[in-house]
């Protein structure tokens, strides 16, 4: 699609191609919401988003879930402004958030090396949740550091640098309603 060259949100920045358009994302998010509704017939459910990348996905996802739930966020960053992982993972979360006895669904935008998620899953599993699962919008399948299964997945992602629908490059492009690969 060449429509992106005319998109004022891009500030003239060339986008290689749209990997996932808004309609395709919305359809898949509806399916994931229904899957979550089915998967958790009882118990307390806490949907825990990894900031900042998951904020749009999580916002759309929870509105497709037809059961009670709570929402909270953690910050885990392994990327600065660089396009490749530094290997450093920093976690910031509210230690008062009760996880014990709850179903925890960790929502991530994209799995690349898997370092961020593995570190976070290690920390969360020590807090005695009733269950602990990963829901990721995108998975590049290059995650040599991921020691946990991805229970719910939106799409297999190309091994390209993607922006939009929450994903950024140097904090830009998170507000694109589609997911595009950057030149
Ligand atoms: P990991 O720890 O290497 O799996 O990195 C995961 C995090 O890196 C994601 O939550 C994103 O914030 C960021 N990331 C990885 N790949 C991309 C990409 O293609 N575009 C934008 N951010 C990415
Ligand atoms: Mg990022």
């Amino acid at each position: 699609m060449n429509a992106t060259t005319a998109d004022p949100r891009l500030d003239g920045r060339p986008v290689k191609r749209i990997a996932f358009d808004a309609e395709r994302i919305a359809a898949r998010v509806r399916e994931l919401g229904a899957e979550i509704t089915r998967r958790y017939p009882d118990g307390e459910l806490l949907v825990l988003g990894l900031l900042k990348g998951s904020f749009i996905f999580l916002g759309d996802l929870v509105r497709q879930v037809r059961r009670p739930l709570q929402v909270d966020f953690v910050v885990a960053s392994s990327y600065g402004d660089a396009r490749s992982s530094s290997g450093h993972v920093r976690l910031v979360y509210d230690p008062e958030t009760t996880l014990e006895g709850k179903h925890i669904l960790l929502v991530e935008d994209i799995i690349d090396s898997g370092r961020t998620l593995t570190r976070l899953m290690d920390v969360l599993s020590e807090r005695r949740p009733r269950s602990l699962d990963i829901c990721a919008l995108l998975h590049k399948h290059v995650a040599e550091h991921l020691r946990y299964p991805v229970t719910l997945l939106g799409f297999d992602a190309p091994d390209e640098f993607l922006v939009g629908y929450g994903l950024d490059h140097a904090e830009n492009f998170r507000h694109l309603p589609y997911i595009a690969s950057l030149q």
Side-chain angles (χ1 to χ4, degrees), residues 50-54 76-79 83 85 89 108-118 140 143 145 158-164 166-169 174:
L50 258 81
L51 289 175
K52 304 175 197 171
S54 73
S77 70
S78 68
Y79 279 59
R83 287 210 210 173
S85 179
V89 180
E108 167 74 310
D109 54 355
I110 184 165
I111 301 172
D112 188 354
S113 75
R115 237 183 236 113
T116 315
L117 266 183
T118 297
K140 287 186 178 172
H145 295 279
D159 191 11
E160 294 168 32
F161 198 86
L162 302 171
V163 295
L167 296 159
D168 73 305
H169 174 248
R174 292 194 195 275

Side-chain angles (χ1 to χ4, degrees), residues 141-155:
H141 293 285
V142 293
E144 74 260 31
H145 295 279
L146 189 62
R147 281 190 276 105
Y148 295 89
V150 180
T151 305
L152 295 161
L153 177 64
F155 302 104

Side-chain angles (χ1 to χ4, degrees), residues 34-155:
E35 233 174 295
I36 292 168
T37 306
R38 272 196 306 274
R39 193 182 160 80
Y40 300 101
D42 53 35
E44 285 183 273
L45 172 61
L46 175 65
V47 179
L48 194 56
L50 258 81
L51 289 175
K52 304 175 197 171
S54 73
F55 83 110
I56 291 179
F57 174 42
L58 185 143
D60 284 347
L61 184 65
V62 293
R63 285 179 289 173
Q64 298 299 327
V65 178
R66 305 280 189 268
R67 59 106 64 217
L69 59 76
Q70 297 174 340
V71 173
D72 206 345
F73 291 97
V74 286
V75 182
S77 70
S78 68
Y79 279 59
D81 283 358
R83 287 210 210 173
S84 65
S85 179
S86 62
H88 179 80
V89 180
R90 204 169 51 93
L91 293 183
V92 183
Y93 61 99
D94 181 0
E96 298 300 310
T97 302
T98 307
L99 304 184
E100 207 168 321
K102 290 182 185 170
H103 294 295
I104 310 295
L105 187 62
L106 194 54
V107 176
E108 167 74 310
D109 54 355
I110 184 165
I111 301 172
D112 188 354
S113 75
R115 237 183 236 113
T116 315
L117 266 183
T118 297
R119 167 92 200 282
L120 190 54
M121 290 290 283
D122 284 345
V123 171
L124 296 177
S125 54
E126 283 168 17
R127 308 273 297 273
R128 301 176 163 278
R130 177 165 166 186
S131 69
L132 179 58
D133 288 274
I134 295 169
C135 174
L137 177 63
L138 299 158
H139 195 335
K140 287 186 178 172
H141 293 285
V142 293
E144 74 260 31
H145 295 279
L146 189 62
R147 281 190 276 105
Y148 295 89
V150 180
T151 305
L152 295 161
L153 177 64
F155 302 104

